[in-house]
Amino acid sequence: MGLYESSWKKNHRPLIALTGCIAQRLGERALNRFPYVRLVAGPRHIGLLPDSIEQIVKHPKSRINLLDHDPREFHGLNFDSDNITIKRENKFKAYVTIAHGCDNFCTYCIVPYVRGRFVSRKPDEIFSEIEMLINDGVKEITLLGQNVNSYGKDINLNFAWLLKNVARMPGIKRVRFVTSLPQDFTEDIINVMSSEETICPSLNLPIQSGSDKILKLMNRKYTYSEYREKVNLTRERVPGLGLTTDLIVGFPGESESDFEDSLNALREIKFDLVHSAAYSEREGTPAAVMDGALPVELRLERLTKLNEIQDSITLAINEQLTGEIFEILVDGLAPKGDNLLQGRTPSDKVVIFEGSHKLLGEFVKVKITQAEAWCLHGELIQE
């Protein structure tokens, strides 16, 4: 912890070297542990893969660790039409990456070490990709990034500007974005969400813990009170908001009182859905060597209790939607049942209903008839 704290205070410069060393060590360990592995690469090395594979083919005994490159660099491919995959899992929805990497160094997270430092994509690249997707029949775009609303910090722009411009692109029907970082989720973003009709009233805002003590140990740069204020402001300005979050239990040093703070956060904020996890050590992160590690059994016990509470909250929220009518983008066949389709409400809740396959890719109105914790059931309203 001492190395981490002292490094952080020097404008991240020692952390650049630290990040590279950890990534390089992880790559070397993979090569040593698995003799049949010839090449280790990360998401930032896609542009280096062709030459690396060619080298391996030419020199059968060579072994390459691309994780030893500078974590600030992005060895990607230049953007052009050939690099956009037209064949997608879903014809009507697409994810568009707007940034790579992360600079936040949460103490439990391995992302900055393996995905590199934060880099925003050029806006022209993003707009061009979205235009191509729209021309190919995509109706819903999700802007994607490890910390999506940190966009632009490194290129003198900001996420609110990008979000507004994407929302106003001709032909776009719906816009979503994930995942938001609480300290960078600012009022200007909320204002854009409230003013642009194509932006869905849905938000994933990871809280990670309801305890200020644990948040500080995690190097999360906000307090529970600050988080709650942003939630309240968003709900005030964005009616019908669907709010989801991420939360970790059993972090090193988490007392029973700290855990209760997280449970109280669920009860007070009432998230639509919580992506929860019991803390798991990631080698190379500061938290992995922190004092106060909890027994795995206790972590799982707390996870079970948290999930039980959240399931009841989610079900109660969903049951209140019975009788409501939503416009749904029919994006696929339901995984179970004959003649059943599925789509999502603007607030990002899965809805299953009966209908013809000819409706795939269309917007339809559905009346909610039944609620479960994980989905809604409805009936198609014929117009």
Side-chain angles (χ1 to χ4, degrees):
M1 187 65 178
L3 173 62
Y4 176 80
E5 290 178 338
S6 62
S7 298
W8 184 262
K9 293 177 181 178
K10 295 180 180 178
N11 298 322
H12 296 207
R13 281 174 291 183
L15 274 177
I16 294 172
L18 179 62
T19 302
C21 290
I22 291 174
Q24 182 178 5
R25 189 165 68 245
L26 290 172
E28 291 172 351
R29 185 161 299 179
L31 291 173
N32 292 334
R33 183 177 179 183
F34 305 105
Y36 47 82
V37 172
R38 305 280 302 284
L39 171 65
V40 178
R44 294 212 170 185
H45 307 125
I46 186 170
L48 300 177
L49 288 178
D51 289 342
S52 299
I53 293 173
E54 184 177 355
Q55 181 177 338
I56 288 175
V57 171
K58 290 181 177 179
H59 307 282
K61 293 185 178 181
S62 63
R63 308 182 80 200
I64 300 174
N65 176 19
L66 293 180
L67 295 181
D68 60 1
H69 285 74
D70 189 332
R72 293 169 296 182
E73 296 182 14
F74 183 77
H75 306 278
L77 297 173
N78 293 326
F79 178 87
D80 57 45
S81 59
D82 293 335
N83 294 328
I84 300 302
T85 303
I86 297 301
K87 183 177 180 181
R88 298 177 305 278
E89 183 177 342
N90 192 298
K91 295 181 180 179
F92 316 112
K93 303 193 302 183
Y95 290 92
V96 175
T97 298
I98 66 170
H100 303 271
C102 179
D103 279 351
N104 288 288
F105 291 91
C106 299
T107 57
Y108 55 81
C109 185
I110 197 67
V111 167
Y113 306 107
V114 296
R115 295 188 184 177
R117 306 303 299 274
F118 185 84
V119 178
S120 300
R121 284 183 69 191
K122 296 177 181 178
D124 288 347
E125 290 184 2
I126 297 170
F127 297 144
S128 295
E129 181 174 349
I130 292 175
E131 184 177 1
M132 291 180 64
L133 291 167
I134 292 172
N135 291 337
D136 194 49
V138 169
K139 299 183 178 182
E140 179 178 301
I141 295 291
T142 299
L143 303 179
L144 186 67
Q146 186 69 27
N147 300 308
V148 70
N149 47 23
S150 302
Y151 176 83
K153 283 187 170 184
D154 54 337
I155 55 174
N156 199 30
L157 292 173
N158 62 64
F159 180 64
W161 174 86
L162 179 72
L163 182 61
K164 180 173 66 175
N165 279 276
V166 169
R168 294 180 177 182
M169 290 184 67
I172 203 160
K173 302 298 183 183
R174 282 185 174 177
V175 179
R176 303 182 190 272
F177 56 92
V178 290
T179 290
S180 292
L181 185 69
Q183 62 261 33
D184 286 343
F185 185 68
T186 49
E187 189 172 356
D188 57 347
I189 299 173
I190 299 173
N191 291 338
V192 172
M193 290 180 67
S194 67
S195 63
E196 300 297 329
E197 292 184 359
T198 55
I199 300 177
C200 293
S202 62
L203 174 66
N204 178 253
L205 193 65
I207 187 173
Q208 301 303 3
S209 175
S211 163
D212 286 348
K213 183 192 86 176
I214 298 301
L215 289 173
K216 186 174 182 179
L217 287 173
M218 290 177 167
N219 194 40
R220 303 288 287 182
K221 301 173 183 66
Y222 54 87
T223 64
Y224 173 67
S225 176
E226 291 169 341
Y227 180 95
R228 183 182 57 204
E229 288 177 6
K230 292 190 178 186
V231 167
N232 291 341
L233 181 61
T234 309
R235 281 176 165 164
E236 176 186 320
R237 298 188 183 177
V238 184
L241 180 74
L243 179 66
T244 64
T245 197
D246 302 350
L247 197 150
I248 297 171
V249 298
F251 191 79
E254 182 186 73
S255 66
E256 189 65 34
S257 175
D258 296 322
F259 176 58
E260 284 297 326
D261 285 342
S262 289
L263 298 183
N264 289 333
L266 300 189
R267 299 184 182 107
E268 181 177 21
I269 294 178
K270 291 183 168 51
F271 298 99
D272 289 73
L273 188 68
V274 174
H275 307 286
S276 58
Y279 172 72
S280 177
E281 289 82 358
R282 292 292 182 268
E283 184 181 355
T285 61
V289 293
M290 279 184 180
D291 294 333
L294 275 60
V296 174
E297 295 79 8
L298 179 57
R299 303 180 202 179
L300 295 176
E301 179 184 314
R302 289 181 176 178
L303 180 63
T304 299
K305 184 175 181 180
L306 181 140
N307 285 339
E308 288 174 351
I309 292 173
Q310 181 56 41
D311 284 350
S312 65
I313 292 172
T314 297
L315 180 59
I317 291 173
N318 287 351
E319 286 177 338
Q320 293 176 3
L321 300 177
T322 302
E324 296 287 328
I325 296 174
F326 294 100
E327 187 174 55
I328 305 295
L329 171 60
V330 186
D331 57 33
L333 305 178
K336 295 181 180 180
D338 296 331
N339 300 319
L340 291 181
L341 306 175
Q342 71 176 24
R344 289 180 180 266
T345 67
S347 61
D348 209 28
K349 294 182 182 293
V350 175
V351 181
I352 297 174
F353 56 97
E354 188 172 345
S356 168
H357 293 192
K358 295 179 181 180
L359 294 175
L360 289 172
E362 301 296 326
F363 285 95
V364 299
K365 291 187 177 180
V366 176
K367 182 178 181 179
I368 306 304
T369 58
Q370 181 185 351
E372 298 183 41
W374 296 102
C375 70
L376 303 170
H377 297 269
E379 59 183 19
L380 186 64
I381 295 179
Q382 303 291 344
E383 294 184 336

